[in-house]
Structures are given as C-alpha cells and as structure tokens.
Amino acid sequence: HEGRKAHRCSSLFYPVTRGLSRPITKMSAFKEKQVPEEEARVHRIRITLTSRNVKSLEKVCSELIRGAKDKKLKVKGPVRLPTKTLKITTRKTPCGEGSKTWSRYEMRIHKRLIDLDSPAEVVKQITSVSIEPGVEVEVT
C-alpha cells in the first residue's frame, strides 16, 4: 500500500478500488423494480421421482403426466436418469472361520424427472394423485 492508508475493516467486506471503500448503489434502483403477481406467473416446476421398484415408479410417472396433459400443461419427460446401484459385499460366516465365502447384495435406485410449466396451484392438484408406497416425490 504505497502512500495510502490501508482500510482496516472495509477491505474485509468490500473490494477496495481507487480509493472507494464500497460500490455505490442507489436505493431507487431497488424500488423501481416491480414484482409481478404470483398467481398469474407461470412456474417451471421439476418433479423428481425416486424408487427401488420400477413398476410403481413408472405407474406414478404415467399418472402425473396424464393429469398434467388433462389440464393442458407443457410436459417434458419422464427423463430416465441412470440407475444407482448400491453394493454391499460381506462374509457369510459370522466368526471368520471356514471357507472364505462372500455374499453380495445390491440395491438399485431408479430416478425419473418430469418438467412442467404451470401455475403453482395446478401443481398441487396434479401431485395430489395417489402415490404408490416406496416412491418418493420431490417438487422443486
């Protein structure tokens, strides 16, 4: 810092450039922006479905898409994401004696994505369909 004082606290929070301790913003810039009404705005909604059972997952997917198409919404999907395979390998014997035999177990987790363009209230109606046990639904 040649010839100028080092700012003690302000440099922790704002970048020091050409003698300014912080960027200049006017509050009028924030007040001029108006937020449109929530009801009228169309949301892009992503529904993520995960399950260990493919049949029940596909059934829930088809019900959600059928309900969305009945309400004339834009639907993209179901996008089939790669299956996650969780593997566990254990010894068969509890004590460690005997022949060294191993048991292999695996759990497959299937995942589907559905994208919707719709108002928020309509999504609540669509996702209220009966969901199979073992299928997790996440709406973002």
Side-chain angles (χ1 to χ4, degrees):
H1 299 181
E2 305 161 9
R4 94 179 127 117
K5 289 183 183 177
H7 296 282
R8 239 201 273 166
C9 292
S10 63
S11 64
L12 294 174
F13 301 106
Y14 301 105
V16 178
T17 54
R18 296 188 189 158
L20 294 176
S21 61
R22 61 187 162 89
I24 299 170
T25 55
K26 294 182 180 178
M27 286 306 292
S28 61
F30 292 108
K31 290 179 184 175
E32 290 173 6
K33 293 180 185 176
Q34 294 178 350
V35 180
E37 291 185 21
E38 286 290 323
E39 288 97 19
R41 199 167 66 188
V42 174
H43 297 281
R44 301 199 74 206
I45 291 140
R46 175 166 282 178
I47 301 172
T48 308
L49 304 165
T50 55
S51 176
R52 290 181 285 158
N53 188 359
V54 180
K55 271 189 178 179
S56 60
L57 183 67
E58 291 292 335
K59 186 177 178 186
V60 172
C61 269
S62 62
E63 287 177 11
L64 283 173
I65 290 170
R66 190 180 319 112
K69 286 185 177 178
D70 289 345
K71 301 216 184 314
K72 295 181 173 60
L73 302 176
K74 275 190 178 178
V75 180
K76 289 182 186 177
V79 178
R80 290 165 178 86
L81 296 176
T83 304
K84 291 181 182 172
T85 307
L86 308 176
K87 294 182 180 180
I88 294 177
T89 307
T90 60
R91 285 284 304 271
K92 281 187 180 177
T93 176
C95 61
E97 291 182 16
S99 60
K100 291 162 181 55
T101 52
W102 295 81
S103 294
R104 289 186 285 277
Y105 300 99
E106 68 176 31
M107 180 195 301
R108 293 181 179 173
I109 299 173
H110 306 276
K111 200 170 188 179
R112 303 284 185 266
L113 286 182
I114 301 172
D115 287 333
L116 300 173
D117 293 338
S118 68
E121 307 85 41
V122 177
V123 173
K124 289 176 186 169
Q125 295 170 5
I126 293 169
T127 54
S128 65
V129 296
S130 63
I131 295 167
E132 298 271 322
V135 178
E136 291 183 34
V137 179
E138 183 184 333
V139 181
T140 53

